């Protein structure tokens, strides 16, 4: 039972264009959503997050949109650069008691930005 | 400033053996979480340690155990290794009261192969 789903295993985009990565979730208790980027042989790197009380968060070229009614979020990268080529993971957190959170990850989407 | 350090980077073990993986959190962080990432999957939460105690646990058998030391470093132990335990094991650290604001910091992982 996958609570966080990234239905596109891969995405190819031309350099300079917009990359849109999508993520769906099923658990209404999730209260924070995060995007991580992962290069081969490295650990995931935090990119951007959004609280469930917001619908948009922007940081430079990266914007995350949250649609709670649809249980859907997306990451927009504008403009896309070759260095953005990596695997992107969507993650969601829910408070699990004792003052701590637990992250649930999707399977990832491999983004290739073509020069 | 060193990030999260994991050792060893690669490890090959035989079925039935036991293994210990090590993690040093980022400077200033007090909480350590462990994740298992199988090939083609997203990271799966194993457990989290804070104040030298296991605070929460994912859906993993008791063969997986851990420890956190007074200097916040942590170990992951896996007993009676199975072929299915072959995966990348990631350690993530964070400062407890800023768990979501900046996300977790991940190490590069330990690649465990069970033969």
């Amino acid at each position: 039972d996958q609570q966080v789903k990234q239905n596109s295993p891969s995405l190819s985009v031309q350099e300079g264009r917009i990359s849109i990565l999508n993520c769906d979730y099923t658990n209404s208790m999730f209260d924070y959503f995060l995007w991580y980027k992962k290069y081969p042989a490295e650990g995931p790197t935090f990119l951007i997050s959004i609280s469930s009380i917001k619908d948009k968060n922007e940081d430079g070229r990266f914007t995350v949109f949250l649609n709670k009614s649809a249980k859907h979020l997306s990451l927009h990268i504008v403009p896309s650069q070759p260095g953005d080529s990596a695997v992107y993971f969507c993650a969601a957190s829910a408070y699990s008691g004792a003052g701590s959170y637990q992250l649930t990850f999707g399977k990832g989407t491999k983004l290739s930005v073509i020069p | 400033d060193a990030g999260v350090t994991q050792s060893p980077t690669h490890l090959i073990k035989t079925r039935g053996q036991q293994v210990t993986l090590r993690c040093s959190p980022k400077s200033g962080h007090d909480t350590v979480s462990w994740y298992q990432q199988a090939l083609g999957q997203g990271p799966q939460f194993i457990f989290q340690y804070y104040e030298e105690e296991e605070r929460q646990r994912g859906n993993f058998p008791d063969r997986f155990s851990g420890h956190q030391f007074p200097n916040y470093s942590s170990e992951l132990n896996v007993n009676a290794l199975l072929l299915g335990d072959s995966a990348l094991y990631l350690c993530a650290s964070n400062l407890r009261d800023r768990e979501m604001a900046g996300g977790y910091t991940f190490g590069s992982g330990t690649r465990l192969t069970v033969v």
Side-chain angles (χ1 to χ4, degrees), chain B residues 1-5 25-29 105:
Chain B
D1 175 29
V4 176
T5 305
K26 182 177 177 178
S27 176
H29 286 183
T105 301

Side-chain angles (χ1 to χ4, degrees), chain A residues 103 105, chain B residues 34-38 41-47 59-60:
Chain A
L103 282 183
F105 283 84
Chain B
W34 287 91
Y35 289 80
Q36 180 195 66
Q37 186 180 11
Q41 305 293 315
Q44 269 199 295
F45 176 75
I46 303 175
F47 42 53
N59 190 25
F60 279 81

